[in-house]
Amino acid sequence: MKNEKRYLTFALGKGRLAEKTLDLLESIGVTCEEMKDKNSRKLIFVNEELKLQFFLSKNPDVPTYVEYGAADIGVVGNDIIREENRSVYEVLDLGFGKCRMCVCGPQEAQELLQHHQIIRVASKYPNIAKDYFYNKKHQTVDIIKLNGSVELGPIVKLSDVIVDIVETGSTLRENGLDVLEEICPISARMIVNRVSMQMEADRIRKLIGMLREKIS
Ligand code: PRP
């Protein structure tokens, strides 16, 4: 007797990214009706027919679930992928959730980035900040980890500059800060567990193919 298909499990970063991912999946016929009930407190949602499961998690946890195989597939920004540095395959740029990882601060701070002096850098992304300053700019810096509203750093003189995401630029503008240097472009990426990529190769490759065709 042929083995029953096992569930393919998706971990999606909570919020706008998850909504856009679900819209994209729906456009290729991969739906999850259960997830549309906004009042539900359920944590995991199933599409019995397609043998799929979906759950939402905090963005930084998505690569963790995928590395350990608790999810076969994850969708999260490459800011998180780079910061968390988990052992997963990054298989597809989904093309939405576009923004930029930048060094930002008041214009006067531009000078501090030119002369390899020790400065203070506040960020939700300490690993990305460290990698950029140490390995790319060869500048020794003091990195201060924050958990949000990072733009406050230079305003209250906690730090000289910040490393953060810039999408529309309005948070910077409204707080008298500018982009001083660009580190890398960011967008939503699909990641896959290394073992699942071998064991479920047919299903996962088919899915990637359909998504690639849809977004091209
Ligand atoms: C992100 C980021 C910036 C802002 C950039 O913060 O950290 O603060 O969005 O967007 P903009 O360029 O369109 O203004 P988020 O809203 O995730 O909240 P947080 O500050 O609590 O991290």
Side-chain angles (χ1 to χ4, degrees):
M1 198 174 77
K2 200 167 177 279
N3 275 345
E4 265 274 289
K5 258 206 266 187
R6 74 169 186 89
Y7 286 103
L8 267 191
T9 302
F10 288 72
L12 308 179
K14 264 184 204 164
R16 260 190 317 158
L17 224 53
E19 280 171 30
K20 289 200 168 179
T21 306
L22 290 170
D23 288 347
L24 177 63
L25 287 171
E26 187 152 12
S27 73
I28 59 160
V30 174
T31 54
C32 190
E33 290 305 315
E34 266 194 338
M35 260 184 137
K36 292 181 181 164
D37 177 3
K38 299 282 178 225
N39 297 318
S40 172
R41 303 287 295 166
K42 272 179 92 165
L43 293 173
I44 188 141
F45 305 91
V46 182
N47 180 327
E48 230 15 280
E49 201 189 322
L50 298 175
K51 286 279 174 208
L52 300 174
Q53 292 189 131
F54 301 84
F55 65 83
L56 301 177
S57 76
K58 290 260 186 192
N59 283 308
D61 295 337
V62 169
T64 312
Y65 285 112
V66 174
E67 181 186 273
Y68 283 89
D72 301 286
I73 296 171
V75 175
V76 74
N78 57 314
D79 52 333
I80 301 292
I81 296 170
R82 215 174 135 179
E83 180 63 27
E84 297 298 316
N85 198 22
R86 293 279 178 182
S87 175
V88 296
Y89 289 127
E90 186 183 316
V91 295
L92 193 60
D93 183 344
L94 296 173
F96 54 76
K98 282 192 177 170
C99 48
R100 299 177 292 154
M101 183 66 70
C102 299
V103 180
C104 312
Q107 257 319 317
E108 312 86 79
Q110 186 85 65
E111 180 71 13
L112 304 174
L113 301 172
Q114 314 303 323
H115 308 294
H116 296 98
Q117 62 197 97
I118 299 182
I119 56 168
R120 293 209 283 193
V121 180
S123 187
K124 274 192 290 190
Y125 301 91
N127 293 328
I128 293 177
K130 198 183 290 170
D131 180 51
Y132 180 70
F133 277 98
Y134 280 66
N135 300 328
K136 191 132 187 242
K137 286 180 65 73
H138 307 290
Q139 182 170 6
T140 305
V141 294
D142 187 3
I143 292 173
I144 304 168
K145 164 88 199 280
L146 288 179
N147 293 297
S149 304
V150 179
E151 291 83 357
L152 270 173
I155 297 172
V156 300
K157 309 275 184 258
L158 172 72
S159 68
D160 298 294
V161 296
I162 61 173
V163 165
D164 201 16
I165 276 174
V166 180
E167 192 182 354
T168 61
S170 55
T171 312
L172 291 179
R173 269 193 303 279
E174 288 183 28
N175 291 288
L177 305 174
D178 289 305
V179 170
L180 304 176
E181 289 178 357
E182 191 168 322
I183 299 178
C184 63
I186 305 293
S187 57
R189 308 292 165 98
M190 177 172 280
I191 54 175
V192 178
N193 171 269
R194 290 180 175 273
V195 176
S196 308
M197 197 67 224
Q198 317 303 323
M199 303 301 287
E200 295 290 338
D202 289 350
R203 288 169 86 191
I204 294 176
R205 278 180 205 283
K206 189 171 163 212
L207 180 74
I208 295 169
M210 285 162 79
L211 288 171
R212 188 172 284 138
E213 202 165 295
K214 193 78 203 174
I215 60 187
S216 63

